Amino acid sequence: MNYDLKSIPSRTDKPRNSGFTMAMDKGLSLREVEDFIEVSGDYVDIVKLGWATSFVTKNLRKKIDIYRAAGIPVYLGGTLFEAFVIRDQFDDYVRLLEEYQLEFAEVSDGSITLDHNKKCKYIETMAKKVTVLSEVGSKDAAKIIPPYKWIDQMQKELNAGAWKVIGESREGGTVGLFRDSGEVRQGLVEEILTQIPEEKIIWEAPQKEQQVWFIKLLGSNVNLGNIAPNEIIPLETLRLGLRGDTFDFFLNL
Amino acid sequence: MNYDLKSIPSRTDKPRNSGFTMAMDKGLSLREVEDFIEVSGDYVDIVKLGWATSFVTKNLRKKIDIYRAAGIPVYLGGTLFEAFVIRDQFDDYVRLLEEYQLEFAEVSDGSITLDHNKKCKYIETMAKKVTVLSEVGSKDAAKIIPPYKWIDQMQKELNAGAWKVIGESREGGTVGLFRDSGEVRQGLVEEILTQIPEEKIIWEAPQKEQQVWFIKLLGSNVNLGNIAPNEIIPLETLRLGLRGDTFDFFLNL
Amino acid sequence: MNYDLKSIPSRTDKPRNSGFTMAMDKGLSLREVEDFIEVSGDYVDIVKLGWATSFVTKNLRKKIDIYRAAGIPVYLGGTLFEAFVIRDQFDDYVRLLEEYQLEFAEVSDGSITLDHNKKCKYIETMAKKVTVLSEVGSKDAAKIIPPYKWIDQMQKELNAGAWKVIGESREGGTVGLFRDSGEVRQGLVEEILTQIPEEKIIWEAPQKEQQVWFIKLLGSNVNLGNIAPNEIIPLETLRLGLRGDTFDFFLNL
């Protein structure tokens, strides 16, 4: 840190198991990736190339290399996994991960209908090769999954070998964990936490108010995801009680 | 593309007559232009320097040159044309286009009241020198133009020599083709399409939901405009059915 | 300017006392700072490193140096001042300003409760060393300060040595001068202006509609703050009547 301030909440260090931040890159240039790492590299644990943007991204290999050289692993959005699966190209997907030497992969069913046993089978298969992040929740605002099902799926996916499970929100933060308005489905989150260990979950929370809500519920070292590159520094200040929204909260501890 | 996926909707190639994407640059630096071209150059057909931002933009000539060297023509926002016309400086405007060797120009009346015959006269005059994009629709949310008038104006402007006509939305997507809420005026769009060939229209559609709506109505190769530089890659994935919003749509074809 | 347009409202030049623009940097990289200066340097009078982002910003000294070399002073957000004060580390804060040779500083009480006499004491103390910007208004949307109190505090803070007073809005523009919807508290602004000289106030106005409202009330050379880096060029066009929103307004003068 650039100067000393007393009573700052303590943060975990890399490699982080909790206090983890996943950023979403939806099309940065190589130079923008360098800039992003300069500014936020210490605070980002993993980068997702959002949904299937990697299909049309220029210099994909170089981009992944730049992140890797900075100690930040990259994975491909779950929608891409689904695009391969729905086309019966799962083997091609596995080859793709190998070709780019990716160490993490997402298994999700946000846009496709996938029997949950099959989903767990994919997790099991992939977990032999890479670290699997599995995602629960639909990208369709109309498909409301009841809390007991979230819990059941999360447990089974962790049992199948997922390293952590991700709670879906999309880039905008308006589905899955959230209502269309962006408001947190508080009852859902609280019920999930009665059954699933907190450090096993990454909450997608792109909007500031959502980040604040999770930090107030679970503290500085909550795992958060789908953070835009230019919101990593602001998020870090929220985690440290150094922005208006969480300023009081940590002082009152 | 970086890897093979089956059954991806086919996209037109440059120089595109349909499937055309117009991006809006409202003040990128030269280096940011280079980054933008690196990432999105293949998917951008033309760049508009938004409204009259070119008046205060540094390194205007260099900026235009960088785009041109990448095969992306630049044109100046219609508001600038109107700013010259309302000041009785149309000749200066023509000289400006010559000075910067611009090959495209917009003729619009979104902020001024311009007799429609006069507007067509401007189109006719300018079409002798440059490729003209003419724009229909007011920037004033209170000025609702009925569908038959949109059609009448579009037809006359194409007859006067406009290469394509643009449907107004502003940077935000809240006027012209859209309600203040950003919702598409569906009846308007559908009525226009009964009379004006689809490939002659560029729909300004800065919001994701608006892009999705047009892609679902007219397919991958609809002409869209006012796309922010960092939304070109996301738009391309929408066109290809590789984002949640259009994932199902193209699979069901 | 890149070309001649008649009847453009005249703008003040640097160093500006009115027509002043304060930009908010919430985590730009060094290269992004250079790009920002290339594009908008002439139109930015001062840069605030938002709230306490400077705590976690990499290359803080270099960043400040790049801005300084371009003639743009930097100051640290008021929340940081408050973070030091609430921890009883005011002396450390003063040393910090010295260490980074900052010539401007903000005194605020947006996140803490601070007796107003004490706040004025801080202003007085700091005004001996630096140029003080003091801020009025709470970051808490629920704390409504009545107009007579805004005026009283502004007067006392100017008397205590503040160079200018800032009207609070936060990054989003949804508190202080504005309702949660972003709408201006017009009565508040108008009442303030009956007592406080216009050039002594910087209005935080991050949203375009807010900027337009102030420009229409006070003209091209109103002092505005909390402008995002990529909104400086758009704001300059609003000030010059070269964007739809203010196009008519200046023509009717």
Side-chain angles (χ1 to χ4, degrees):
Chain A
M1 300 306 129
N2 290 314
Y3 37 82
D4 288 321
L5 270 170
K6 293 174 192 161
S7 313
I8 295 292
S10 87
R11 287 279 283 127
T12 48
D13 288 321
K14 284 193 178 186
R16 292 186 185 93
N17 189 34
S18 67
F20 186 96
T21 299
M22 175 262 277
M24 183 199 273
D25 173 342
K26 63 176 192 176
L28 297 182
S29 73
L30 298 183
R31 204 148 55 185
E32 286 164 346
V33 171
E34 291 170 0
D35 287 348
F36 176 36
I37 291 168
E38 172 200 323
V39 170
S40 305
D42 290 354
Y43 312 119
V44 170
D45 296 282
I46 198 164
V47 165
K48 170 167 71 179
L49 303 186
W51 60 102
T53 53
S54 59
F55 186 65
V56 290
T57 292
K58 298 287 147 190
N59 297 321
L60 179 59
R61 193 173 300 272
K62 281 189 199 163
K63 175 182 276 210
I64 293 170
D65 286 346
I66 295 174
Y67 280 120
R68 187 182 283 133
I72 302 171
V74 166
Y75 73 99
L76 308 176
T79 301
L80 185 67
F81 161 81
E82 300 175 42
F84 275 94
V85 165
I86 200 90
R87 287 169 174 79
D88 230 349
Q89 289 186 261
F90 175 67
D91 292 347
D92 292 338
Y93 187 61
V94 173
R95 269 190 293 275
L96 177 65
L97 300 182
E98 285 166 0
E99 193 190 328
Y100 286 92
Q101 297 173 274
L102 298 174
E103 291 159 14
F104 287 78
E106 182 175 330
V107 172
S108 62
D109 57 347
S111 297
I112 62 175
T113 302
L114 186 60
D115 172 82
H116 198 255
N117 288 329
K118 268 198 194 160
K119 188 180 177 190
C120 289
K121 220 49 191 152
Y122 281 119
I123 293 169
E124 213 183 302
T125 305
M126 291 180 66
K128 288 172 191 151
K129 297 168 178 281
V130 295
T131 302
V132 173
L133 296 157
S134 76
E135 188 177 62
V136 174
S138 174
K139 290 195 192 300
D140 183 344
K143 280 194 198 153
I144 304 295
I145 303 174
Y148 82 91
K149 267 206 177 170
W150 279 77
I151 292 169
D152 180 58
Q153 294 185 6
M154 284 178 156
Q155 274 170 335
K156 287 182 176 152
E157 296 179 19
L158 289 167
N159 290 341
W163 176 55
K164 290 185 193 293
V165 288
I166 300 172
E168 170 73 87
S169 82
R170 304 203 65 187
E171 186 200 0
T174 55
V175 299
L177 299 169
F178 307 101
R179 302 203 169 80
D180 333 9
S181 62
E183 198 197 340
V184 184
R185 291 189 205 274
Q186 306 196 4
L188 168 63
V189 171
E190 284 165 17
E191 194 166 335
I192 289 172
L193 285 164
T194 64
Q195 305 291 329
I196 310 290
E198 186 194 321
E199 70 275 11
K200 298 308 274 179
I201 310 173
I202 299 171
W203 310 96
E204 291 189 350
Q207 298 183 18
K208 186 183 72 166
E209 284 65 27
Q210 299 169 346
Q211 297 158 15
V212 169
W213 189 87
F214 278 105
I215 289 170
K216 287 188 175 171
L217 185 73
L218 297 169
S220 292
N221 290 305
V222 59
N223 297 326
L224 296 172
N226 275 19
I227 312 300
N230 63 350
E231 293 297 334
I232 297 288
I233 290 291
L235 170 60
E236 196 61 26
T237 63
L238 287 175
R239 290 181 183 278
L240 297 174
L242 289 174
R243 190 171 190 182
D245 316 76
T246 58
F247 192 97
D248 272 358
F249 180 75
F250 286 106
L251 286 176
N252 291 338
L253 279 185
Chain B
M1 298 307 128
N2 290 314
Y3 37 82
D4 288 320
L5 271 171
K6 293 173 192 162
S7 313
I8 295 293
S10 87
R11 286 278 283 128
T12 49
D13 288 321
K14 285 193 178 185
R16 294 185 184 93
N17 189 36
S18 66
F20 186 96
T21 299
M22 175 262 278
M24 183 199 274
D25 172 342
K26 64 177 191 174
L28 297 181
S29 72
L30 299 184
R31 205 147 55 184
E32 287 164 346
V33 170
E34 291 171 0
D35 287 348
F36 176 36
I37 290 168
E38 172 201 323
V39 171
S40 305
D42 290 356
Y43 312 118
V44 171
D45 297 281
I46 197 163
V47 165
K48 170 167 70 178
L49 303 185
W51 61 101
T53 53
S54 59
F55 187 64
V56 290
T57 292
K58 297 288 147 188
N59 297 320
L60 179 58
R61 193 174 300 273
K62 281 189 200 162
K63 175 182 275 208
I64 294 170
D65 286 347
I66 295 173
Y67 279 120
R68 186 182 283 133
I72 302 171
V74 166
Y75 72 99
L76 309 175
T79 302
L80 184 67
F81 162 80
E82 300 175 42
F84 274 95
V85 164
I86 200 92
R87 286 168 174 81
D88 229 350
Q89 288 186 260
F90 175 68
D91 293 347
D92 292 339
Y93 188 61
V94 173
R95 270 190 292 275
L96 177 64
L97 300 182
E98 284 165 1
E99 194 190 327
Y100 286 91
Q101 297 173 276
L102 298 174
E103 291 159 13
F104 286 78
E106 181 175 330
V107 172
S108 61
D109 56 347
S111 297
I112 62 175
T113 302
L114 187 59
D115 173 83
H116 198 255
N117 287 329
K118 268 198 194 159
K119 189 180 178 189
C120 288
K121 215 61 189 144
Y122 281 119
I123 293 170
E124 212 183 301
T125 305
M126 290 178 65
K128 288 173 191 151
K129 296 167 180 281
V130 295
T131 302
V132 173
L133 296 157
S134 75
E135 188 178 61
V136 173
S138 174
K139 290 193 192 301
D140 183 344
K143 279 194 199 155
I144 305 294
I145 303 174
Y148 81 89
K149 267 205 178 170
W150 279 77
I151 293 169
D152 180 60
Q153 293 185 9
M154 285 177 155
Q155 275 170 335
K156 287 182 178 153
E157 296 179 19
L158 289 167
N159 290 343
W163 176 56
K164 289 185 194 292
V165 287
I166 300 172
E168 170 73 86
S169 82
R170 304 204 66 188
E171 186 199 0
T174 55
V175 299
L177 299 169
F178 307 101
R179 301 201 170 81
D180 330 10
S181 62
E183 198 197 341
V184 185
R185 292 188 204 275
Q186 306 194 5
L188 169 63
V189 171
E190 284 165 16
E191 193 165 333
I192 289 172
L193 284 164
T194 63
Q195 303 292 328
I196 310 289
E198 188 194 319
E199 72 273 13
K200 299 308 275 180
I201 310 173
I202 299 171
W203 310 95
E204 291 189 349
Q207 299 183 19
K208 185 183 74 167
E209 283 67 26
Q210 299 169 347
Q211 297 158 15
V212 169
W213 189 86
F214 278 106
I215 289 170
K216 288 188 175 171
L217 185 72
L218 297 169
S220 292
N221 290 304
V222 58
N223 297 325
L224 296 172
N226 276 18
I227 312 300
N230 63 350
E231 294 296 335
I232 297 288
I233 290 292
L235 170 59
E236 196 61 25
T237 62
L238 287 174
R239 291 182 182 277
L240 296 175
L242 289 174
R243 190 171 190 183
D245 316 77
T246 59
F247 192 98
D248 272 358
F249 180 74
F250 287 107
L251 286 176
N252 291 339
L253 277 184
Chain C
M1 300 306 130
N2 289 315
Y3 37 82
D4 288 320
L5 271 170
K6 293 174 194 163
S7 312
I8 294 293
S10 87
R11 286 278 283 127
T12 48
D13 288 320
K14 284 194 179 186
R16 293 186 184 95
N17 189 36
S18 66
F20 187 96
T21 299
M22 176 262 277
M24 184 199 273
D25 173 340
K26 63 177 191 175
L28 298 181
S29 72
L30 298 183
R31 205 148 55 184
E32 287 166 345
V33 170
E34 291 170 0
D35 287 348
F36 176 36
I37 291 168
E38 172 200 324
V39 171
S40 305
D42 290 355
Y43 312 119
V44 170
D45 297 281
I46 197 162
V47 165
K48 170 167 70 180
L49 303 185
W51 62 100
T53 53
S54 58
F55 186 65
V56 290
T57 292
K58 297 287 148 189
N59 297 322
L60 179 59
R61 193 174 299 273
K62 280 189 200 162
K63 175 182 277 209
I64 294 171
D65 286 347
I66 295 173
Y67 279 120
R68 188 182 281 132
I72 301 171
V74 166
Y75 73 99
L76 309 176
T79 301
L80 184 67
F81 162 80
E82 300 175 43
F84 275 94
V85 164
I86 200 90
R87 286 167 174 80
D88 229 350
Q89 287 186 261
F90 176 67
D91 293 347
D92 292 339
Y93 187 61
V94 173
R95 270 190 293 276
L96 177 65
L97 300 182
E98 285 165 1
E99 195 190 326
Y100 286 91
Q101 296 173 277
L102 298 173
E103 290 158 15
F104 287 78
E106 181 174 330
V107 172
S108 61
D109 57 347
S111 297
I112 61 175
T113 302
L114 186 60
D115 173 82
H116 198 256
N117 288 329
K118 269 198 192 159
K119 188 181 178 190
C120 288
K121 218 51 190 154
Y122 280 118
I123 293 170
E124 212 182 302
T125 305
M126 290 180 65
K128 287 172 192 152
K129 295 167 180 281
V130 294
T131 302
V132 174
L133 296 157
S134 75
E135 189 178 61
V136 174
S138 174
K139 289 193 192 300
D140 183 344
K143 280 195 197 153
I144 304 295
I145 304 174
Y148 81 92
K149 267 206 178 169
W150 279 76
I151 293 170
D152 180 59
Q153 293 185 8
M154 284 178 155
Q155 274 170 335
K156 286 182 177 153
E157 296 180 18
L158 289 168
N159 290 342
W163 177 55
K164 290 186 193 291
V165 288
I166 299 172
E168 170 73 85
S169 82
R170 305 203 64 189
E171 186 199 359
T174 55
V175 299
L177 299 169
F178 307 101
R179 301 200 170 81
D180 330 9
S181 62
E183 198 198 340
V184 185
R185 292 189 204 276
Q186 306 195 6
L188 169 63
V189 171
E190 283 164 18
E191 193 166 334
I192 289 172
L193 284 165
T194 63
Q195 304 292 328
I196 310 289
E198 187 194 319
E199 72 274 11
K200 299 307 275 179
I201 310 172
I202 299 171
W203 311 94
E204 291 188 349
Q207 299 182 19
K208 185 182 75 166
E209 283 65 27
Q210 299 169 345
Q211 297 158 14
V212 168
W213 189 87
F214 278 106
I215 289 170
K216 287 188 175 171
L217 186 73
L218 296 170
S220 292
N221 291 304
V222 58
N223 296 325
L224 295 173
N226 276 18
I227 312 299
N230 63 350
E231 293 297 335
I232 297 289
I233 291 292
L235 170 59
E236 196 62 25
T237 63
L238 287 174
R239 291 181 182 278
L240 297 175
L242 288 173
R243 189 171 191 182
D245 315 77
T246 58
F247 192 97
D248 272 357
F249 180 74
F250 286 107
L251 286 176
N252 291 338
L253 279 184

